[in-house]
Amino acid sequence: MNIDIKHIAKLSRLRIEDDKIQEFETQMQNIVNMVEKLPDIEDELVLDEDNPMILREDVAVTDKYTRQELMSNAPQVKAGCLVVPKTVE
Amino acid sequence: MELFERNAYELSDMLKNKEISSVELTKSVFERINSVEDKVNAYVTLNEENALKTAEQIDEKRANGESLSALAGIPIGIKDNISTKGLRTTCSSRMLENYVPPFNATVMNKLEDAGVVVTGKLNMDEFAMGSSTETSYFKPTCNPHALDRIPGGSSGGSAAAVAACEAVVSLGSDTGGSIRQPASYCGVVGLKPTYGAVSRFGLVAFASSLDQIGPIGKCVKDVAMVQSAINGRDNMDATSACREYTDLSANLKADVKGLRIGLPKEYFGEGIDNEVKTSVLNAVKELEKQGAVVKEISLPSTDYALSAYYIISSAEASSNLARFDGVRYGYRTENYDSLIDMYEKTRSEGFGDEVKRRIMLGTFVLSSGFYDAYYGKAKLLQRRISEEFNSAFKDIDVIAAPTVPTTAFKIGENIGDPLKMYATDICTVTVNIAGLPAVSVPCGNDSNKLPVGLQLIGNKFTEQALLNTAYAYEKTAGGFIMPKL
């Protein structure tokens, strides 16, 4: 299996510096060679019906946090909104 | 004996009997931190001012005759991937260097209700990805028993702080061994609870189907006390189990008469250091002397567990860490010319190399054309591993094995070789894959005086039996050894 690190990095929204590509590629190659060693199990995946997740009631919570609290960690805020680069030309 | 050296259960009695105050105890722990932290580097953030404030409040409540929990006034350190309202939570990553959660993890609400004193946030491998605490963005933590060696990881700060008496007890998290492995290396007790026993709400997600928060302490009883304070159903975590829990510490019994212990031959084979093997087998002999029945068992799929673990955990990590995009919280790059440019630069500058490797591995195994060959196969193997454990637990009660193949290695020794680092998880990952509980308890030292850990694995929700077994061993042959710092 050949690993195309540039392609995987792109899918991962990561950018690998040119001088580090070779190192990452070798390491990823070794890791993939290790995890490849899996037996063929002739079976199908089924959901665990004995342990269903129990979801809480879907109720709107309006007064738990203020907008300011929720936005306090945002890198850039303007007029109570998150600022991002222009996405539509 | 200084207050910081004592166990939580002893301190709990001393506080209850008003022999000491929580302020005195908290001051003692911070004096210890001041004298040894520059050698150990267990903490990312200290919380001294608030800790003393909480201690004062607890002392006042006690003076007023209010009824308090056993943990009230006990100083506890928290792994830095557990959200603490108003207290920086970094996951030891540049990405969250300045992140201050606006909410508490459920375990923190429970501990605050119990009246604990939070000493600070403990160092870890970045986003819990690592086995040595060397992938922390801030600094490596040192093993208190040998400062040139790693404390293990990813909860390395949590184990080192307890071993160095910089916290009476601590919380860690365990995705593939991250509580048990550092507990073993640092000579302390660490419990990875059954998946679903402790709420994951507010634990920054690494691999959601494997992650579990658990306690680390100097002795089994302390671990039992903390576990009983944090377990239970939580509506904020749909995977938390709906069941009632009994008090693990009140029901702790050093009794293993008739207990059936299984020794899986796959955990004692190639790659396991001879001194580790001898210490673990001697510990099992001690339990046999006390009336346990020991038999050899086989868990044949163990050899494939590491592959399945790295596929499943990285796949989930690649998805979980997609949220770090520089928009709502966390680091954002300074210069960018488009949205995609901002995402890529932010993530490349904010994450360290190990996190990048895991995200890329996860992206690869989930990508079109490879999903069935990797992720699909790993999930099928996960079921087979669970079935093998289920079948073993028909004839035995507890499985005994080494926690880690070797004792603590030197700082820098394995950091350049991811595969060597991953191999240290070989004895612990199966437990997470099968969602089982397991505890690591100190069982002697190797010839370099480095601690060895005995791992006890049980069927789902058998924490009491595990802790009873660990307690029986600890009372007669084990116990915490104070490092010379």
Side-chain angles (χ1 to χ4, degrees), chain A residues 1 8 12-13 15 20 27-28 32 34 36-37 40 43-46 53-54 56 65 73-76 82-83 85 87, chain B residues 99-100 102-103 233 235 242 304 307 326-330 332 339-341 344 347-348 353 357 360 363 370 374 377 383:
Chain A
M1 175 63 57
I8 299 169
S12 310
R13 291 273 186 255
R15 210 172 283 172
K20 286 190 114 178
Q27 285 172 339
M28 285 294 291
V32 170
M34 177 196 89
E36 255 172 359
K37 291 175 200 134
D40 283 312
D43 210 344
E44 269 178 40
L45 283 173
V46 284
M53 281 193 279
I54 297 166
R56 65 178 184 275
Y65 303 101
N73 284 289
Q76 210 182 339
L82 299 168
V83 180
T87 53
Chain B
Y99 175 69
V100 179
F103 70 104
R233 166 72 188 168
N235 281 339
C242 290
Y304 301 112
S307 302
V327 175
R328 292 152 298 160
Y329 39 72
R332 179 188 283 194
L339 189 68
I340 302 292
D341 191 43
E344 289 184 351
R347 290 165 62 77
S348 301
D353 285 355
R357 273 192 288 274
M360 288 194 287
T363 304
F370 298 109
Y374 293 95
K377 269 188 177 181
R383 197 169 68 203

Short mmCIF file of all heavy atoms in Angstrom, two decimals, chain A residues 1 8 12-13 15 20 27-28 32 34 36-37 40 43-46 53-54 56 65 73-76 82-83 85 87, chain B residues 99-100 102-103 233 235 242 304 307 326-330 332 339-341 344 347-348 353 357 360 363 370 374 377 383:
data_model
loop_
_atom_site.label_atom_id
_atom_site.label_comp_id
_atom_site.label_asym_id
_atom_site.label_seq_id
_atom_site.Cartn_x
_atom_site.Cartn_y
_atom_site.Cartn_z
N MET A 1 0.84 -1.20 0.00
CA MET A 1 0.00 0.00 0.00
C MET A 1 0.88 1.25 0.00
O MET A 1 1.68 1.45 0.90
CB MET A 1 -0.89 -0.02 1.26
CG MET A 1 -1.73 1.21 1.45
SD MET A 1 -2.93 1.47 0.15
CE MET A 1 -3.82 -0.06 0.22
N ILE A 8 -3.85 12.72 1.59
CA ILE A 8 -4.50 12.47 2.89
C ILE A 8 -4.51 13.75 3.73
O ILE A 8 -5.49 14.06 4.40
CB ILE A 8 -3.80 11.33 3.66
CG1 ILE A 8 -3.88 10.04 2.83
CG2 ILE A 8 -4.45 11.10 5.01
CD1 ILE A 8 -3.00 8.95 3.36
N SER A 12 -7.64 15.81 5.27
CA SER A 12 -7.67 16.06 6.72
C SER A 12 -7.65 17.54 7.05
O SER A 12 -7.60 17.91 8.21
CB SER A 12 -6.47 15.40 7.39
OG SER A 12 -6.33 14.06 7.02
N ARG A 13 -7.64 18.40 6.02
CA ARG A 13 -7.49 19.84 6.22
C ARG A 13 -6.23 20.14 7.03
O ARG A 13 -6.23 20.88 8.01
CB ARG A 13 -8.70 20.44 6.93
CG ARG A 13 -9.96 20.43 6.07
CD ARG A 13 -10.05 21.67 5.21
NE ARG A 13 -11.32 21.74 4.49
CZ ARG A 13 -11.46 21.49 3.19
NH1 ARG A 13 -10.41 21.16 2.46
NH2 ARG A 13 -12.64 21.59 2.61
N ARG A 15 -1.81 20.80 6.42
CA ARG A 15 -0.78 21.09 5.43
C ARG A 15 0.55 20.63 6.01
O ARG A 15 0.90 21.00 7.11
CB ARG A 15 -0.75 22.60 5.16
CG ARG A 15 -0.33 22.94 3.76
CD ARG A 15 -0.51 24.40 3.50
NE ARG A 15 -1.90 24.79 3.25
CZ ARG A 15 -2.28 26.05 3.17
NH1 ARG A 15 -1.42 27.04 3.35
NH2 ARG A 15 -3.55 26.36 2.92
N LYS A 20 9.01 18.01 5.58
CA LYS A 20 8.57 16.97 6.52
C LYS A 20 7.76 15.87 5.83
O LYS A 20 7.39 14.87 6.46
CB LYS A 20 7.73 17.60 7.64
CG LYS A 20 8.58 18.37 8.65
CD LYS A 20 7.78 18.76 9.85
CE LYS A 20 8.25 18.04 11.09
NZ LYS A 20 7.53 18.43 12.30
N GLN A 27 6.67 7.27 8.15
CA GLN A 27 6.00 6.88 9.39
C GLN A 27 4.60 6.32 9.12
O GLN A 27 4.21 5.28 9.66
CB GLN A 27 5.90 8.07 10.34
CG GLN A 27 7.23 8.43 10.99
CD GLN A 27 7.16 9.73 11.76
OE1 GLN A 27 6.29 10.56 11.52
NE2 GLN A 27 8.09 9.92 12.67
N MET A 28 3.86 7.01 8.26
CA MET A 28 2.49 6.56 7.94
C MET A 28 2.53 5.20 7.25
O MET A 28 1.69 4.35 7.51
CB MET A 28 1.79 7.59 7.05
CG MET A 28 1.34 8.83 7.78
SD MET A 28 0.05 8.48 8.99
CE MET A 28 -1.29 8.08 7.89
N VAL A 32 0.60 2.04 8.67
CA VAL A 32 -0.39 1.33 7.87
C VAL A 32 0.02 -0.13 7.69
O VAL A 32 -0.81 -1.04 7.78
CB VAL A 32 -0.61 2.04 6.51
CG1 VAL A 32 -1.44 1.19 5.58
CG2 VAL A 32 -1.30 3.39 6.74
N MET A 34 1.54 -1.88 9.81
CA MET A 34 1.22 -2.55 11.08
C MET A 34 -0.27 -2.84 11.18
O MET A 34 -0.67 -3.96 11.46
CB MET A 34 1.66 -1.69 12.27
CG MET A 34 1.28 -2.32 13.60
SD MET A 34 1.34 -1.17 14.99
CE MET A 34 -0.30 -0.51 14.99
N GLU A 36 -2.45 -3.12 8.96
CA GLU A 36 -2.98 -3.98 7.90
C GLU A 36 -3.15 -5.43 8.34
O GLU A 36 -3.94 -6.16 7.77
CB GLU A 36 -2.04 -3.95 6.69
CG GLU A 36 -2.58 -3.11 5.56
CD GLU A 36 -1.56 -2.93 4.45
OE1 GLU A 36 -0.42 -3.44 4.56
OE2 GLU A 36 -1.93 -2.29 3.47
N LYS A 37 -2.36 -5.80 9.36
CA LYS A 37 -2.37 -7.21 9.78
C LYS A 37 -3.64 -7.53 10.55
O LYS A 37 -3.65 -7.60 11.77
CB LYS A 37 -1.14 -7.49 10.66
CG LYS A 37 0.15 -7.44 9.89
CD LYS A 37 1.35 -7.61 10.82
CE LYS A 37 2.60 -7.08 10.16
NZ LYS A 37 3.41 -6.25 11.04
N ASP A 40 -9.23 -11.94 8.23
CA ASP A 40 -10.51 -11.84 7.52
C ASP A 40 -11.57 -12.55 8.34
O ASP A 40 -11.47 -13.73 8.62
CB ASP A 40 -10.40 -12.52 6.14
CG ASP A 40 -9.65 -11.61 5.17
OD1 ASP A 40 -9.99 -10.43 5.10
OD2 ASP A 40 -8.72 -12.11 4.51
N ASP A 43 -18.19 -12.16 8.43
CA ASP A 43 -19.34 -11.81 9.26
C ASP A 43 -19.79 -10.42 8.87
O ASP A 43 -19.11 -9.72 8.11
CB ASP A 43 -18.93 -11.85 10.74
CG ASP A 43 -20.11 -12.22 11.63
OD1 ASP A 43 -21.25 -12.13 11.16
OD2 ASP A 43 -19.87 -12.56 12.80
N GLU A 44 -20.93 -10.02 9.40
CA GLU A 44 -21.39 -8.66 9.13
C GLU A 44 -21.53 -7.89 10.42
O GLU A 44 -21.83 -8.47 11.47
CB GLU A 44 -22.74 -8.72 8.42
CG GLU A 44 -22.61 -8.76 6.92
CD GLU A 44 -23.96 -8.87 6.25
OE1 GLU A 44 -24.91 -8.22 6.71
OE2 GLU A 44 -24.04 -9.62 5.28
N LEU A 45 -21.34 -6.58 10.32
CA LEU A 45 -21.51 -5.76 11.52
C LEU A 45 -23.00 -5.59 11.82
O LEU A 45 -23.79 -5.31 10.93
CB LEU A 45 -20.87 -4.39 11.30
CG LEU A 45 -19.36 -4.33 11.41
CD1 LEU A 45 -18.87 -2.96 11.00
CD2 LEU A 45 -18.92 -4.65 12.83
N VAL A 46 -23.34 -5.80 13.08
CA VAL A 46 -24.74 -5.58 13.48
C VAL A 46 -24.77 -4.61 14.66
O VAL A 46 -23.80 -4.50 15.41
CB VAL A 46 -25.44 -6.89 13.89
CG1 VAL A 46 -25.81 -7.71 12.68
CG2 VAL A 46 -24.58 -7.70 14.84
N MET A 53 -28.80 3.17 23.15
CA MET A 53 -28.52 4.44 23.84
C MET A 53 -29.85 5.07 24.23
O MET A 53 -30.81 5.03 23.46
CB MET A 53 -27.75 5.38 22.93
CG MET A 53 -26.30 5.03 22.85
SD MET A 53 -25.35 6.34 22.11
CE MET A 53 -25.64 6.05 20.40
N ILE A 54 -29.90 5.65 25.40
CA ILE A 54 -31.13 6.31 25.82
C ILE A 54 -30.93 7.82 25.69
O ILE A 54 -30.04 8.40 26.33
CB ILE A 54 -31.51 5.91 27.26
CG1 ILE A 54 -31.79 4.40 27.27
CG2 ILE A 54 -32.71 6.69 27.76
CD1 ILE A 54 -31.85 3.80 28.63
N ARG A 56 -31.94 11.80 25.90
CA ARG A 56 -32.77 12.67 26.75
C ARG A 56 -33.83 13.33 25.88
O ARG A 56 -33.71 13.34 24.64
CB ARG A 56 -31.91 13.71 27.46
CG ARG A 56 -31.25 14.69 26.54
CD ARG A 56 -30.45 15.71 27.32
NE ARG A 56 -29.89 16.71 26.42
CZ ARG A 56 -28.76 16.56 25.77
NH1 ARG A 56 -28.06 15.45 25.89
NH2 ARG A 56 -28.32 17.51 24.96
N TYR A 65 -26.77 29.45 29.18
CA TYR A 65 -25.56 30.24 28.95
C TYR A 65 -25.93 31.52 28.22
O TYR A 65 -26.85 31.53 27.40
CB TYR A 65 -24.56 29.47 28.08
CG TYR A 65 -24.18 28.13 28.62
CD1 TYR A 65 -24.75 26.97 28.12
CD2 TYR A 65 -23.24 28.03 29.65
CE1 TYR A 65 -24.39 25.72 28.63
CE2 TYR A 65 -22.89 26.79 30.17
CZ TYR A 65 -23.47 25.64 29.65
OH TYR A 65 -23.12 24.42 30.15
N ASN A 73 -14.62 32.22 23.88
CA ASN A 73 -13.39 31.57 23.39
C ASN A 73 -13.17 31.74 21.89
O ASN A 73 -12.21 31.20 21.34
CB ASN A 73 -13.44 30.07 23.71
CG ASN A 73 -13.16 29.80 25.18
OD1 ASN A 73 -12.04 29.95 25.63
ND2 ASN A 73 -14.18 29.43 25.93
N ALA A 74 -14.07 32.45 21.23
CA ALA A 74 -13.95 32.57 19.77
C ALA A 74 -12.80 33.49 19.40
O ALA A 74 -12.58 34.52 20.04
CB ALA A 74 -15.25 33.10 19.19
N PRO A 75 -12.03 33.13 18.36
CA PRO A 75 -10.88 33.95 17.97
C PRO A 75 -11.28 35.36 17.51
O PRO A 75 -10.56 36.32 17.76
CB PRO A 75 -10.26 33.17 16.81
CG PRO A 75 -10.79 31.79 16.89
CD PRO A 75 -12.13 31.90 17.56
N GLN A 76 -12.41 35.49 16.82
CA GLN A 76 -12.81 36.81 16.34
C GLN A 76 -14.33 36.95 16.38
O GLN A 76 -15.05 36.15 15.77
CB GLN A 76 -12.30 37.02 14.91
CG GLN A 76 -12.01 38.48 14.62
CD GLN A 76 -11.56 38.70 13.19
OE1 GLN A 76 -11.08 37.77 12.52
NE2 GLN A 76 -11.71 39.90 12.70
N LEU A 82 -19.68 35.40 15.01
CA LEU A 82 -18.35 34.86 14.74
C LEU A 82 -17.88 35.39 13.39
O LEU A 82 -18.64 35.34 12.42
CB LEU A 82 -18.38 33.34 14.71
CG LEU A 82 -18.84 32.63 15.99
CD1 LEU A 82 -19.11 31.16 15.72
CD2 LEU A 82 -17.79 32.78 17.08
N VAL A 83 -16.66 35.88 13.33
CA VAL A 83 -16.15 36.41 12.07
C VAL A 83 -15.33 35.33 11.35
O VAL A 83 -14.45 34.71 11.94
CB VAL A 83 -15.25 37.64 12.32
CG1 VAL A 83 -14.71 38.19 11.01
CG2 VAL A 83 -16.03 38.70 13.08
N PRO A 85 -13.60 34.24 7.20
CA PRO A 85 -13.30 34.82 5.89
C PRO A 85 -14.50 34.68 4.95
O PRO A 85 -15.35 33.80 5.14
CB PRO A 85 -12.13 33.98 5.38
CG PRO A 85 -11.63 33.21 6.53
CD PRO A 85 -12.72 33.11 7.52
N THR A 87 -16.88 33.52 2.30
CA THR A 87 -17.01 32.17 1.75
C THR A 87 -17.74 32.15 0.40
O THR A 87 -17.69 31.18 -0.32
CB THR A 87 -17.78 31.25 2.72
OG1 THR A 87 -19.00 31.88 3.06
CG2 THR A 87 -16.98 30.98 3.97
N TYR B 99 -8.01 28.22 25.98
CA TYR B 99 -9.43 27.86 26.06
C TYR B 99 -9.89 27.75 27.52
O TYR B 99 -9.31 27.00 28.31
CB TYR B 99 -9.68 26.53 25.33
CG TYR B 99 -11.08 26.02 25.48
CD1 TYR B 99 -12.15 26.67 24.86
CD2 TYR B 99 -11.37 24.91 26.26
CE1 TYR B 99 -13.45 26.21 25.01
CE2 TYR B 99 -12.66 24.44 26.41
CZ TYR B 99 -13.69 25.10 25.78
OH TYR B 99 -14.98 24.66 25.94
N VAL B 100 -10.92 28.52 27.87
CA VAL B 100 -11.50 28.47 29.22
C VAL B 100 -12.95 28.00 29.09
O VAL B 100 -13.79 28.73 28.55
CB VAL B 100 -11.44 29.85 29.91
CG1 VAL B 100 -12.06 29.77 31.30
CG2 VAL B 100 -10.01 30.35 29.98
N PRO B 102 -16.81 27.32 29.35
CA PRO B 102 -17.91 28.00 30.03
C PRO B 102 -18.79 27.02 30.82
O PRO B 102 -19.79 27.41 31.38
CB PRO B 102 -18.70 28.62 28.86
CG PRO B 102 -18.39 27.79 27.67
CD PRO B 102 -17.07 27.13 27.90
N PHE B 103 -18.40 25.76 30.85
CA PHE B 103 -19.21 24.75 31.56
C PHE B 103 -18.29 23.72 32.21
O PHE B 103 -17.12 23.60 31.86
CB PHE B 103 -20.17 24.06 30.60
CG PHE B 103 -19.48 23.15 29.61
CD1 PHE B 103 -19.51 21.77 29.77
CD2 PHE B 103 -18.77 23.67 28.54
CE1 PHE B 103 -18.87 20.92 28.87
CE2 PHE B 103 -18.11 22.82 27.65
CZ PHE B 103 -18.16 21.46 27.81
N ARG B 233 -25.41 7.28 35.94
CA ARG B 233 -26.09 7.67 34.71
C ARG B 233 -26.12 9.20 34.58
O ARG B 233 -26.31 9.91 35.57
CB ARG B 233 -27.52 7.10 34.74
CG ARG B 233 -28.48 7.67 33.72
CD ARG B 233 -28.20 7.20 32.32
NE ARG B 233 -29.03 7.91 31.36
CZ ARG B 233 -28.84 7.87 30.04
NH1 ARG B 233 -27.85 7.16 29.53
NH2 ARG B 233 -29.62 8.54 29.23
N ASN B 235 -27.79 12.14 31.90
CA ASN B 235 -28.58 12.43 30.69
C ASN B 235 -27.79 13.15 29.61
O ASN B 235 -28.20 13.18 28.46
CB ASN B 235 -29.79 13.29 31.06
CG ASN B 235 -30.89 12.46 31.67
OD1 ASN B 235 -30.93 11.25 31.48
ND2 ASN B 235 -31.77 13.09 32.43
N CYS B 242 -27.61 2.98 32.37
CA CYS B 242 -28.71 3.17 33.33
C CYS B 242 -28.63 2.06 34.36
O CYS B 242 -29.10 0.95 34.09
CB CYS B 242 -30.06 3.08 32.63
SG CYS B 242 -30.39 4.44 31.57
N TYR B 304 -3.92 -9.15 17.40
CA TYR B 304 -4.44 -8.19 16.42
C TYR B 304 -5.00 -6.93 17.07
O TYR B 304 -5.43 -6.01 16.38
CB TYR B 304 -5.56 -8.83 15.59
CG TYR B 304 -5.14 -10.06 14.84
CD1 TYR B 304 -5.64 -11.31 15.18
CD2 TYR B 304 -4.23 -9.97 13.79
CE1 TYR B 304 -5.26 -12.45 14.49
CE2 TYR B 304 -3.84 -11.10 13.10
CZ TYR B 304 -4.35 -12.34 13.45
OH TYR B 304 -3.96 -13.44 12.77
N SER B 307 -3.68 -3.33 16.18
CA SER B 307 -4.11 -2.84 14.87
C SER B 307 -5.54 -2.33 14.95
O SER B 307 -5.84 -1.23 14.48
CB SER B 307 -4.06 -3.98 13.84
OG SER B 307 -2.77 -4.50 13.77
N GLY B 326 -10.70 26.79 14.07
CA GLY B 326 -10.37 28.20 14.25
C GLY B 326 -11.55 29.15 14.14
O GLY B 326 -11.36 30.35 13.97
N VAL B 327 -12.77 28.63 14.26
CA VAL B 327 -13.94 29.50 14.12
C VAL B 327 -14.59 29.81 15.47
O VAL B 327 -14.69 30.97 15.86
CB VAL B 327 -14.99 28.88 13.16
CG1 VAL B 327 -16.26 29.74 13.12
CG2 VAL B 327 -14.41 28.75 11.76
N ARG B 328 -14.99 28.77 16.20
CA ARG B 328 -15.77 29.01 17.43
C ARG B 328 -14.92 29.10 18.69
O ARG B 328 -15.27 29.76 19.64
CB ARG B 328 -16.82 27.92 17.60
CG ARG B 328 -17.91 27.99 16.56
CD ARG B 328 -18.50 26.64 16.31
NE ARG B 328 -17.49 25.73 15.80
CZ ARG B 328 -17.58 24.42 15.84
NH1 ARG B 328 -18.62 23.85 16.38
NH2 ARG B 328 -16.62 23.66 15.35
N TYR B 329 -13.81 28.36 18.72
CA TYR B 329 -12.94 28.39 19.90
C TYR B 329 -11.57 27.91 19.47
O TYR B 329 -11.40 27.34 18.40
CB TYR B 329 -13.47 27.51 21.03
CG TYR B 329 -14.06 26.21 20.57
CD1 TYR B 329 -13.27 25.18 20.10
CD2 TYR B 329 -15.45 26.02 20.59
CE1 TYR B 329 -13.82 23.99 19.66
CE2 TYR B 329 -16.02 24.84 20.15
CZ TYR B 329 -15.19 23.82 19.69
OH TYR B 329 -15.75 22.66 19.25
N GLY B 330 -10.58 28.15 20.33
CA GLY B 330 -9.25 27.64 20.06
C GLY B 330 -8.43 28.56 19.17
O GLY B 330 -8.83 29.67 18.83
N ARG B 332 -6.44 30.33 16.15
CA ARG B 332 -6.65 30.66 14.73
C ARG B 332 -5.35 31.26 14.19
O ARG B 332 -4.75 32.12 14.83
CB ARG B 332 -7.80 31.66 14.56
CG ARG B 332 -8.02 32.02 13.09
CD ARG B 332 -9.00 33.16 12.89
NE ARG B 332 -10.38 32.72 13.06
CZ ARG B 332 -11.44 33.46 12.67
NH1 ARG B 332 -11.26 34.65 12.11
NH2 ARG B 332 -12.66 33.02 12.87
N LEU B 339 -11.18 30.76 3.39
CA LEU B 339 -11.66 29.91 4.48
C LEU B 339 -10.82 28.63 4.58
O LEU B 339 -10.37 28.25 5.67
CB LEU B 339 -13.15 29.56 4.26
CG LEU B 339 -13.83 28.85 5.42
CD1 LEU B 339 -13.99 29.76 6.63
CD2 LEU B 339 -15.19 28.30 5.01
N ILE B 340 -10.62 27.96 3.43
CA ILE B 340 -9.86 26.70 3.42
C ILE B 340 -8.42 26.97 3.88
O ILE B 340 -7.86 26.20 4.67
CB ILE B 340 -9.84 26.09 2.00
CG1 ILE B 340 -11.27 25.82 1.51
CG2 ILE B 340 -8.99 24.81 1.95
CD1 ILE B 340 -12.02 24.75 2.23
N ASP B 341 -7.85 28.07 3.42
CA ASP B 341 -6.50 28.44 3.83
C ASP B 341 -6.45 28.61 5.35
O ASP B 341 -5.51 28.16 6.02
CB ASP B 341 -6.11 29.74 3.11
CG ASP B 341 -4.63 30.05 3.25
OD1 ASP B 341 -3.82 29.11 3.12
OD2 ASP B 341 -4.28 31.22 3.51
N GLU B 344 -6.67 25.11 7.07
CA GLU B 344 -5.44 24.31 6.94
C GLU B 344 -4.30 24.88 7.76
O GLU B 344 -3.60 24.14 8.44
CB GLU B 344 -5.04 24.20 5.46
CG GLU B 344 -6.01 23.31 4.69
CD GLU B 344 -5.60 23.08 3.24
OE1 GLU B 344 -4.66 23.73 2.76
OE2 GLU B 344 -6.26 22.24 2.60
N ARG B 347 -5.07 24.44 11.64
CA ARG B 347 -4.91 23.07 12.12
C ARG B 347 -3.44 22.63 12.06
O ARG B 347 -2.96 21.91 12.94
CB ARG B 347 -5.80 22.13 11.31
CG ARG B 347 -7.28 22.35 11.64
CD ARG B 347 -8.20 21.72 10.61
NE ARG B 347 -8.08 20.27 10.49
CZ ARG B 347 -8.60 19.39 11.32
NH1 ARG B 347 -9.27 19.80 12.38
NH2 ARG B 347 -8.46 18.09 11.12
N SER B 348 -2.72 23.09 11.04
CA SER B 348 -1.31 22.68 10.91
C SER B 348 -0.44 23.34 11.97
O SER B 348 0.51 22.75 12.46
CB SER B 348 -0.78 23.03 9.52
OG SER B 348 -1.57 22.36 8.55
N ASP B 353 2.75 16.95 15.82
CA ASP B 353 2.93 15.89 14.83
C ASP B 353 2.15 14.61 15.14
O ASP B 353 1.61 13.97 14.24
CB ASP B 353 4.43 15.53 14.70
CG ASP B 353 5.19 16.60 13.92
OD1 ASP B 353 4.53 17.54 13.42
OD2 ASP B 353 6.43 16.49 13.82
N ARG B 357 -0.55 12.81 12.76
CA ARG B 357 -0.45 11.42 12.29
C ARG B 357 -1.75 10.67 12.53
O ARG B 357 -2.24 9.95 11.68
CB ARG B 357 0.68 10.68 13.04
CG ARG B 357 2.04 10.83 12.41
CD ARG B 357 3.05 9.84 13.01
NE ARG B 357 3.43 10.19 14.37
CZ ARG B 357 4.41 11.05 14.67
NH1 ARG B 357 5.11 11.62 13.72
NH2 ARG B 357 4.70 11.33 15.92
N MET B 360 -4.51 11.84 10.21
CA MET B 360 -4.30 11.35 8.84
C MET B 360 -4.55 9.85 8.74
O MET B 360 -5.14 9.38 7.77
CB MET B 360 -2.90 11.73 8.35
CG MET B 360 -2.79 13.24 8.06
SD MET B 360 -1.34 13.69 7.10
CE MET B 360 -0.06 13.50 8.31
N THR B 363 -8.28 9.47 8.77
CA THR B 363 -8.84 9.90 7.49
C THR B 363 -8.60 8.83 6.43
O THR B 363 -9.49 8.50 5.64
CB THR B 363 -8.18 11.23 7.05
OG1 THR B 363 -8.36 12.17 8.11
CG2 THR B 363 -8.80 11.78 5.78
N PHE B 370 -11.04 2.27 1.07
CA PHE B 370 -10.24 1.62 2.11
C PHE B 370 -11.06 1.26 3.35
O PHE B 370 -10.62 0.53 4.21
CB PHE B 370 -9.07 2.51 2.53
CG PHE B 370 -8.12 2.79 1.41
CD1 PHE B 370 -8.05 4.05 0.83
CD2 PHE B 370 -7.32 1.78 0.90
CE1 PHE B 370 -7.19 4.31 -0.22
CE2 PHE B 370 -6.44 2.03 -0.15
CZ PHE B 370 -6.39 3.29 -0.71
N TYR B 374 -10.06 -1.69 6.27
CA TYR B 374 -9.48 -1.28 7.55
C TYR B 374 -10.55 -1.14 8.64
O TYR B 374 -10.63 -1.95 9.54
CB TYR B 374 -8.71 0.04 7.39
CG TYR B 374 -7.49 -0.10 6.53
CD1 TYR B 374 -7.53 0.19 5.18
CD2 TYR B 374 -6.29 -0.54 7.07
CE1 TYR B 374 -6.39 0.05 4.38
CE2 TYR B 374 -5.15 -0.68 6.29
CZ TYR B 374 -5.21 -0.39 4.94
OH TYR B 374 -4.10 -0.54 4.17
N LYS B 377 -12.99 -4.17 9.00
CA LYS B 377 -12.31 -5.33 9.59
C LYS B 377 -12.04 -5.13 11.08
O LYS B 377 -12.17 -6.05 11.88
CB LYS B 377 -10.98 -5.56 8.88
CG LYS B 377 -11.05 -6.48 7.69
CD LYS B 377 -9.60 -6.74 7.26
CE LYS B 377 -9.54 -7.72 6.10
NZ LYS B 377 -8.14 -7.98 5.72
N ARG B 383 -15.59 -7.09 17.83
CA ARG B 383 -16.62 -7.99 18.35
C ARG B 383 -16.01 -9.33 18.74
O ARG B 383 -16.36 -9.90 19.76
CB ARG B 383 -17.74 -8.18 17.32
CG ARG B 383 -18.97 -8.76 17.98
CD ARG B 383 -20.16 -8.71 17.10
NE ARG B 383 -20.00 -9.63 15.99
CZ ARG B 383 -20.66 -9.50 14.84
NH1 ARG B 383 -21.49 -8.50 14.66
NH2 ARG B 383 -20.49 -10.37 13.88
#
